[in-house]
Amino acid sequence: MDNRINLLKTLSEINGPSGYEEEVRNFMREALDPLVDQIDVDQMGSIIGRLGAEDNPRIMLSAHMDELGLMVRYITEEGYLKIHPLGGWLDQAIVNQRWIILTNKGTVPGITGIKTIHVMKAEDRKKVFDRDSLFIDIGAKNREDVIKNYGIRPGDAIVPDSKFGLLGDGDLLLGKAWDDRVGLAVMIEVLRRIAKSEVTIDKTIYFVATVQEEIGLRGAKTSSYAVSPDIAINLEAGVAADFPGMNNDESQERLGLGPTVFLHDSSMIPNIKLRKFVMEVAENEKIPIQFNVLNGYGQDGAEAQRSRSGTPAINIAVPTRYLHSHNGVISMSDFDQTVQLITALMQKMNSDEIKNIRQFV
């Protein structure tokens, strides 16, 4: 398997919901450590890798490690798991799905049960099942069985049970957690390309893998204060609108048309000078880019932008179908072009350009 595809497969299949990112953190630390000058983990659990001298102007390249998940709220006397969401699930995306419960004894498979249509009232068949009515069936006999033999306790994390695969002619990749494992993969590939070069002669690049983005951009807040960047570029999974039921008023991204520059989301408007610089580099390098204006969304770049006295920041994304569900789809060509764009930005953003971007007058 191609090394890039193998990287994406591995990151997609790793389990790490918000607050339980240890497996992802171990992978990212192993990937970054040989290529950076220094690596640290802050008190929230975010990884901060530094490439270049500490006293240079600082660029922070960030992506979050956590994925959407659930938590065991409590165990019923009959042995079913009641659940609490970790992140922004639609209730209908949780129903009748396979899950993996992460325990101290290992992993346990389960499924969110659903009442059969045969016994439903006609008016109930069109309803969305409220998450508070949902439960996970692991095949246990009772509550004691769940605790004693399966090792499950309240507070244990739960992740989607989804496997990586290829769609169509092989350019489309199917998997869970592209939000934001695709951003982590971009970060690793960019670091691999520039680690042995002289890119950091007059600047320092911080490669930051954050925690708990899905429940409030929490890791980005602490890591932004730790790094105190001069420029922040956040890497994310975008919101593709190229399938039935979506329209341009909701989102403007399409798979296969290159990386997306976010012009607006509910958490951030990017710095105008930084946006212009990104567009100029993309044009000069002949890298196709697209733009998105969203009413909702929220991403780690917003915390970098708001940190200390403020930081010029931008969000650049790999377009993704079916965000915040068990399975998403990305394009390999979009991934490659995003890596190409971010690498070019790192190469061309010198200390003079950083100073110019940071000045409003």
Side-chain angles (χ1 to χ4, degrees), residues 27-73:
F27 179 88
M28 289 301 296
R29 183 163 193 162
E30 184 176 342
L32 298 182
D33 193 33
L35 302 173
V36 296
D37 296 317
Q38 180 178 325
I39 193 163
D40 296 299
V41 180
D42 73 10
Q43 295 302 297
M44 284 287 289
S46 299
I47 291 179
I48 302 173
R50 174 176 60 81
L51 183 64
E54 287 188 88
D55 55 354
N56 285 335
R58 302 178 173 203
I59 302 172
M60 185 170 83
L61 199 60
S62 61
H64 67 88
M65 294 187 285
D66 57 316
E67 63 183 295
L68 232 56
L70 306 172
M71 177 190 288
V72 178
R73 185 194 294 267

Side-chain angles (χ1 to χ4, degrees), residues 317-329:
V318 178
T320 307
R321 291 177 186 159
Y322 322 128
L323 281 177
H324 284 213
S325 62
H326 266 57
N327 300 282
V329 177

Side-chain angles (χ1 to χ4, degrees), residues 6-218:
N6 189 58
L7 172 64
L8 287 160
K9 176 182 186 296
T10 301
L11 281 168
S12 172
E13 292 184 342
I14 289 176
N15 297 320
S18 301
Y20 302 83
E21 298 93 349
E22 182 176 3
E23 188 177 346
V24 191
R25 181 164 47 248
N26 291 341
F27 179 88
M28 289 301 296
R29 183 163 193 162
E30 184 176 342
L32 298 182
D33 193 33
L35 302 173
V36 296
D37 296 317
Q38 180 178 325
I39 193 163
D40 296 299
V41 180
D42 73 10
Q43 295 302 297
M44 284 287 289
S46 299
I47 291 179
I48 302 173
R50 174 176 60 81
L51 183 64
E54 287 188 88
D55 55 354
N56 285 335
R58 302 178 173 203
I59 302 172
M60 185 170 83
L61 199 60
S62 61
H64 67 88
M65 294 187 285
D66 57 316
E67 63 183 295
L68 232 56
L70 306 172
M71 177 190 288
V72 178
R73 185 194 294 267
Y74 66 92
I75 304 163
T76 71
E77 289 299 326
E78 298 79 14
Y80 297 100
L81 312 181
K82 297 294 289 186
I83 57 178
H84 179 78
L86 294 174
W89 286 99
L90 287 172
D91 288 358
Q92 57 262 46
I94 302 176
V95 176
N96 199 229
Q97 296 284 355
R98 296 188 182 197
W99 304 87
I100 297 171
I101 299 93
L102 310 179
T103 81
N104 288 332
K105 291 185 176 182
T107 60
V108 177
I111 184 171
T112 34
I114 182 174
K115 186 186 294 185
T116 175
I117 191 173
H118 299 88
V119 300
M120 276 188 191
K121 296 177 181 178
E123 61 268 24
D124 290 338
R125 295 176 185 176
K126 297 180 180 180
K127 290 182 179 179
V128 173
F129 290 86
D130 182 86
R131 68 186 62 180
D132 288 338
S133 71
L134 300 178
F135 58 88
I136 292 181
D137 183 352
I138 64 167
K141 297 180 178 65
N142 50 43
R143 185 174 184 274
E144 183 182 3
D145 186 29
V146 172
I147 296 172
K148 182 178 180 180
N149 297 319
Y150 290 88
I152 296 174
R153 301 277 183 171
D156 283 347
I158 305 167
V159 292
D161 185 0
S162 304
K163 300 301 180 185
F164 175 89
L166 303 178
L167 291 180
D169 61 4
D171 181 63
L172 300 185
L173 279 54
L174 172 69
K176 75 170 178 66
W178 292 134
D179 182 10
D180 184 28
R181 305 293 165 68
V182 67
L184 295 177
V186 170
M187 180 187 295
I188 291 170
E189 284 296 304
V190 169
L191 177 56
R192 287 173 176 172
R193 292 189 181 195
I194 68 175
K196 305 303 181 183
S197 68
E198 296 183 346
V199 163
T200 58
I201 289 177
D202 64 345
K203 61 179 176 289
T204 299
I205 305 173
Y206 287 82
F207 296 82
V208 181
T210 67
V211 297
Q212 299 187 37
E213 189 268 358
E214 296 292 358
I215 55 174
L217 318 182
R218 298 174 184 178

